[in-house]
Amino acid sequence: MNTLYFTEEHELFRKSFQDFLQKEVVPHIDKWENTGTIERFIWKKFGEMGYFGLNQPEEYGGMNLDIFYTVIFLEELQKINSGGFAAAMWAHAYLAMTHVNKEGDDAIKKKYLTPSIDGDKIGCLCITEPFGGSDVAGMRSTAIKKGDKYILNGSKTFITNGVYSDYLVVAAKTNPDKGNKGMSIFIVDRETPGISASKLDKLGWRASDTAEIAFDDVEIPAENLMGEEGKGFSYIMQHFALERLIMGINAHARAEFALDYTLGYMSEREAFGRTIDKFQALRHSVADMASEIEMNKEFNYSIAKRLDEGQYVVKEASMSKLLSTKMADKVIYDCLQMLGGYGYMEDYPLARMFRDSRLGPIGGGTSEILREIIAKMVIDKKEYKPAAK
């Protein structure tokens, strides 16, 4: 246990969450991977255990715990070998719910945040568009005010929980002439007329539903605007730091899981009269992987602590995602190689890990975009300021 960041209470939580996952989730994973549908009962069980409220305010049913409970939640979700299941859980708890908590007013929080914490409502965050990709400022979706409503038109894509969620947190331009200063955030009920979603067929993350969503003259009540009109881009950028750190933490955790599994395999697999963990070439490869995992993990923990203390860590969170996802892909690639032909078989866990991990350098800001953000901060001395609420 790293006592710099984790206490005995943290470790008790880790053990209880591990037990919960093994009992309640793992028996269903293969079914959900095959169907692409996570059954509703598990959301309710997560809610009953308080897992969706770890970092949420107590007045709405949360626990208001420090960020290292979230770190444990993320790490352990990576160690049951379903990137899709993990994504569905954290996209609800840390993408959709973060905006509801930070930008929603009291009425919105009572209507959406409390049931989200309880596992009765599932949320998704709709930012990425088919024509925009990582170019958030180039968003084409519009929400034009008309009386006491906004009329939403446009489309979103690659939205985790985009098919089965109960509400959508949607970014759209309320004043298209103002570019990124004309963007706002809304919360929209799934059953609102004019919303249609189609499920996308993915290489990995097979258990999660990922959608392309169309909005056709969707009427949103004015009170469903979250935060201030025109501040949407700032809100999105503010929360990207958390999302990128989450994906960095996920990466070091799945790499650690892959290596742990591979070490167990190597200790049992024999070739030329001895177990393969006795061959120097393979041992040195393991040494390199273990070192890279540890370096990334320690960095990610330090940035999590700084984020928890209220520091604005856009540059460091971008570095976390950039390097950790690259490292995880390489570790999992090399671990698969250690299993030889068995690594290529779907009956063994490395095949799914290999597919699931590949999204790391793509989702939540591509590595190319992250390099440009880091370059702007390091070379051009650009500062990304937090939004003033």
Side-chain angles (χ1 to χ4, degrees), residues 18-269:
Q18 286 171 343
D19 292 344
F20 172 85
L21 291 172
Q22 289 301 320
K23 180 170 177 262
E24 304 291 353
V25 177
V26 170
H28 306 285
I29 285 291
D30 287 344
K31 175 173 61 175
W32 296 337
E33 284 280 327
N34 290 330
T35 62
T37 305
I38 297 165
E39 293 163 281
R40 289 294 291 228
F41 75 83
I42 197 63
W43 299 87
K44 186 60 186 165
K45 287 193 173 178
F46 266 70
E48 287 168 355
M49 296 296 291
Y51 296 139
F52 291 142
L54 298 176
N55 68 329
Q56 298 293 345
E58 290 180 43
E59 63 193 288
Y60 298 103
M63 297 186 184
N64 197 29
L65 297 168
D66 69 70
I67 200 168
F68 284 96
Y69 287 92
T70 289
V71 170
I72 291 166
F73 176 82
L74 297 169
E75 287 180 331
E76 295 308 322
L77 278 172
Q78 292 297 311
K79 298 183 178 183
I80 54 172
N81 202 19
S82 176
F85 179 80
M89 298 299 120
W90 63 255
H92 167 62
Y94 294 99
L95 302 189
M97 285 171 61
T98 293
H99 280 277
V100 178
N101 179 39
K102 297 293 187 184
E103 283 105 56
D105 59 22
D106 182 61
I108 284 174
K109 286 179 187 174
K110 282 178 176 149
K111 186 177 177 183
Y112 296 99
L113 187 61
T114 297
S116 294
I117 291 169
D118 293 341
D120 292 323
K121 281 188 176 177
I122 302 168
C124 68
L125 178 63
C126 305
I127 296 175
T128 303
E129 299 192 351
F131 301 103
S134 299
D135 181 11
V136 176
M139 188 176 290
R140 298 185 187 183
S141 294
T142 58
I144 305 303
K145 188 142 195 203
K146 191 175 176 185
D148 61 351
K149 293 184 173 67
Y150 289 86
I151 310 301
L152 173 64
N153 283 285
S155 57
K156 302 289 180 180
T157 197
F158 310 139
I159 307 304
T160 301
N161 297 336
V163 177
Y164 301 121
S165 55
D166 302 295
Y167 66 88
L168 306 87
V169 176
V170 182
K173 297 246 176 103
T174 42
N175 192 333
D177 298 333
K178 288 191 175 177
N180 65 20
K181 291 185 172 57
M183 194 181 298
S184 302
I185 301 273
F186 298 89
I187 192 158
V188 188
D189 283 310
R190 168 69 60 178
E191 62 268 22
T192 310
I195 300 175
S196 57
S198 53
K199 188 183 281 195
L200 300 170
D201 189 13
K202 310 186 296 294
L203 170 69
W205 280 24
R206 304 287 299 178
S208 67
D209 65 288
T210 306
E212 184 156 325
I213 303 174
F215 302 104
D216 182 18
D217 286 339
V218 177
E219 294 189 3
I220 308 171
E223 61 264 26
N224 283 30
L225 170 73
M226 294 208 296
E228 291 180 45
E229 189 177 288
K231 286 273 182 74
F233 187 76
S234 296
Y235 297 142
I236 292 166
M237 291 298 120
Q238 190 169 359
H239 304 323
F240 267 166
L242 173 63
E243 180 180 358
R244 285 162 184 167
L245 182 60
I246 283 171
M247 294 193 75
I249 290 164
N250 290 341
H252 82 233
R254 69 175 167 270
E256 194 168 50
F257 177 59
L259 184 58
D260 285 347
Y261 175 83
T262 302
L263 289 172
Y265 176 87
M266 292 171 70
S267 71
E268 296 172 0
R269 178 72 173 170

